[in-house]
Amino acid sequence: MLSQSTIDIVKSTAPLIAEAGPSLTAHFYERMFKHHPELKDVFNITHQETGSQREALFNAVYGYASNIDNIEVLLPVVEKIAQKHTSFNITADQYQIVGTHLLATIDELMNPGQAVLDAWAEAYGLLANIFINREEEIYQQKEQEIGGWRGTREFKVIEKTQESNVITSFVLTPVDGQPIIGYRPGQYIGVYLNSDKLEFQEIRQYSLSDAPNGNTYRISVKREDKGIASNYLHTHVNLGDSVQLAAPAGDFFITTESNTPIAFISAGVGLTPMLSMLESIKETHQAPIHWLHATDNSERHGFKARLNELTDSITHLNQYSWYKDGEADFNGLMDLSQIQNELNWQETDFYLCGPVVFMQYVAKQLVTLKVPEENIHYECFGPHKVL
């Protein structure tokens, strides 16, 4: 536990952290990469360039300083980050590197004095140990399960299927021919890409887009205009090629009982974890299932034929689509008032995935419809944000 003096000192620096803003974390990353360029093979450099990773780290640092006297409120975020870290195979030594450069950044930008630096060192050490211990638990759990492993494992592509004009699915099976660990529908898998066509190793997390089957994993990847990894996968990874995978991870998965109504709300490629959930409950869920999806147009509507098949075969599955252009159930942005009478809003569990602005827009509507906060579950692609 932290001493009261450490808690008081760290909490008192929260306003200074807020004043520094993401410039603090920008300085941190620049400093760390200068001393440890090998970490560019771990961190998503695109997120560095867009500023999203810097913003996420700033929010984490500020949140920790502000809640240093009530760490329990941070535990849900700790679990989310710990799950993500295991897909990067983060090590205890890397926490030491981060701590060194975080303290140096605080010293260089704020010059707060040794007492503050000592307090932050103690506070960071506590938080790092929480992460290290939780991540080690996850590593051991995955390693000990049937079909599990630690680190990365080689898989080869046995199917490559175009699901829309921007989404392609890859079905992967282990090269060693041994069993594979299962996963909870909604989770993701870490994909490691190494090639002379890439400046750095690229690690990405892609949602698993099918029900677990014990033999293969399927990911469905949207080709992003400036996406280094997604363009490489679409263009250069073909049948018979191999990639390295970390074991499935993630804290976003279906937990709804079969007698509770459920709604899957997605935009664009955000439908991938939802499809895994739907495929997993299609034969067992007894209450109404609602599938709400928004995308640009029919050509970008991934898995459209499969979803129509499921809708035709499951009597209690209702599907609604919103397109910006072209013919759909509704046009324009997703407006839940258009189906207000079709759902029991207060009794339904909602699962959201898509761009952050989309989820924020939908979450506000759900709050207006008096949906309890505990009934709203969501996943962000990339650095986590709070809706």
Side-chain angles (χ1 to χ4, degrees):
M1 297 296 294
L2 298 176
S3 65
Q4 188 59 49
S5 62
T6 292
I7 291 173
D8 292 340
I9 290 173
V10 171
K11 197 171 181 66
S12 72
T13 62
L16 295 176
I17 299 294
E19 184 178 348
S23 63
L24 180 143
T25 46
H27 182 92
F28 160 78
Y29 279 118
E30 181 179 351
R31 191 183 202 284
M32 185 174 68
F33 288 143
K34 180 179 179 180
H35 288 82
H36 294 275
E38 73 278 5
L39 292 180
K40 291 183 179 181
D41 282 336
V42 177
F43 287 83
N44 186 325
I45 300 303
T46 300
H47 287 162
Q48 295 296 323
E49 294 172 349
T50 63
S52 58
Q53 185 64 57
R54 297 172 182 180
E55 180 185 356
L57 179 60
F58 165 74
N59 290 335
V61 172
Y62 177 69
Y64 185 45
S66 301
N67 294 281
I68 191 70
D69 54 348
N70 187 21
I71 295 178
E72 287 75 15
V73 304
L74 301 175
L75 293 182
V77 178
V78 167
E79 180 63 18
K80 187 175 293 291
I81 295 173
Q83 291 284 337
K84 183 67 70 73
H85 281 180
T86 62
S87 71
F88 284 103
N89 283 295
I90 297 299
T91 67
D93 288 344
Q94 289 168 334
Y95 276 101
Q96 181 63 43
I97 293 171
V98 168
T100 296
H101 292 284
L102 178 62
L103 291 174
T105 296
I106 292 173
D107 187 26
E108 291 166 2
L109 292 188
M110 300 179 183
N111 192 23
Q114 194 59 46
V116 171
L117 293 176
D118 290 344
W120 265 97
E122 183 184 351
Y124 175 81
L126 173 66
L127 184 62
N129 283 333
I130 291 173
F131 277 113
I132 290 168
N133 292 335
R134 175 58 186 141
E135 287 159 22
E136 181 59 28
E137 289 177 354
I138 297 171
Y139 288 136
Q140 291 187 17
Q141 175 193 351
K142 297 295 173 62
E143 187 176 21
Q144 293 167 6
E145 287 188 37
I146 296 174
W149 70 95
R150 187 177 185 130
T152 60
R153 184 174 172 188
E154 187 177 6
F155 282 68
K156 66 179 178 181
V157 178
I158 60 171
E159 293 180 30
K160 183 178 180 180
T161 306
Q162 189 169 348
E163 310 291 0
S164 77
N165 64 357
V166 291
I167 299 173
T168 294
S169 288
F170 300 82
V171 176
L172 303 152
T173 191
V175 171
D176 60 21
Q178 298 301 305
I180 59 172
I181 191 173
Y183 57 92
R184 303 184 73 171
Q187 290 188 305
Y188 51 78
I189 200 157
V191 180
Y192 289 60
L193 302 175
N194 289 277
S195 169
D196 55 10
K197 296 180 175 64
L198 300 170
E199 183 177 3
F200 305 108
Q201 172 178 259
E202 299 291 342
I203 307 174
R204 297 293 186 274
Q205 291 76 34
Y206 292 112
S207 295
L208 292 151
S209 62
D210 204 356
N213 60 36
N215 299 308
T216 61
Y217 297 128
R218 185 179 74 182
I219 58 173
S220 302
V221 180
K222 178 187 176 186
R223 184 196 288 268
E224 301 287 353
D225 290 341
K226 297 182 180 180
I228 296 172
S230 66
N231 277 281
Y232 178 81
L233 283 165
H234 276 248
T235 304
H236 299 292
V237 177
N238 296 301
L239 295 180
D241 291 340
S242 64
V243 295
Q244 297 289 326
L245 300 184
D251 69 337
F252 178 69
F253 43 76
I254 190 167
T255 57
T256 303
E257 299 291 338
S258 64
N259 59 354
T260 299
I262 190 169
F264 301 114
I265 304 180
S266 60
V269 76
L271 57 71
T272 51
M274 309 304 193
L275 188 58
S276 176
M277 295 181 189
L278 179 58
E279 293 281 9
S280 300
I281 67 168
K282 63 188 178 186
E283 297 176 357
T284 58
H285 203 79
Q286 302 167 5
I289 305 171
H290 306 281
W291 181 273
L292 286 60
H293 183 64
T295 190
D296 290 342
N297 50 52
S298 177
E299 289 71 27
R300 286 184 170 239
H301 193 159
F303 297 97
K304 183 179 180 181
R306 177 56 180 160
L307 289 163
N308 287 338
E309 288 177 4
L310 291 170
T311 303
D312 290 340
S313 63
I314 303 173
T315 57
H316 53 289
L317 171 61
N318 307 300
Q319 180 185 177
Y320 305 97
S321 58
W322 282 259
Y323 289 170
K324 289 183 180 179
D325 304 300
E327 185 175 347
D329 297 307
F330 305 102
N331 292 108
L333 299 177
M334 184 178 288
D335 181 356
L336 298 182
S337 68
Q338 293 171 307
I339 56 170
Q340 187 165 348
N341 297 326
E342 304 301 321
L343 279 74
N344 184 339
W345 298 93
Q346 287 75 45
E347 301 299 325
T348 299
D349 267 0
F350 293 86
Y351 292 82
L352 283 62
C353 191
V356 171
V357 290
F358 165 80
M359 292 194 293
Q360 291 171 333
Y361 175 71
V362 169
K364 288 179 182 178
Q365 295 182 64
L366 293 177
V367 170
T368 300
L369 291 163
K370 300 187 181 345
V371 174
E373 182 179 346
E374 61 268 21
N375 289 8
I376 303 173
H377 318 273
Y378 65 96
E379 175 82 319
C380 292
F381 290 165
H384 179 67
K385 292 179 182 289
V386 176
L387 300 188

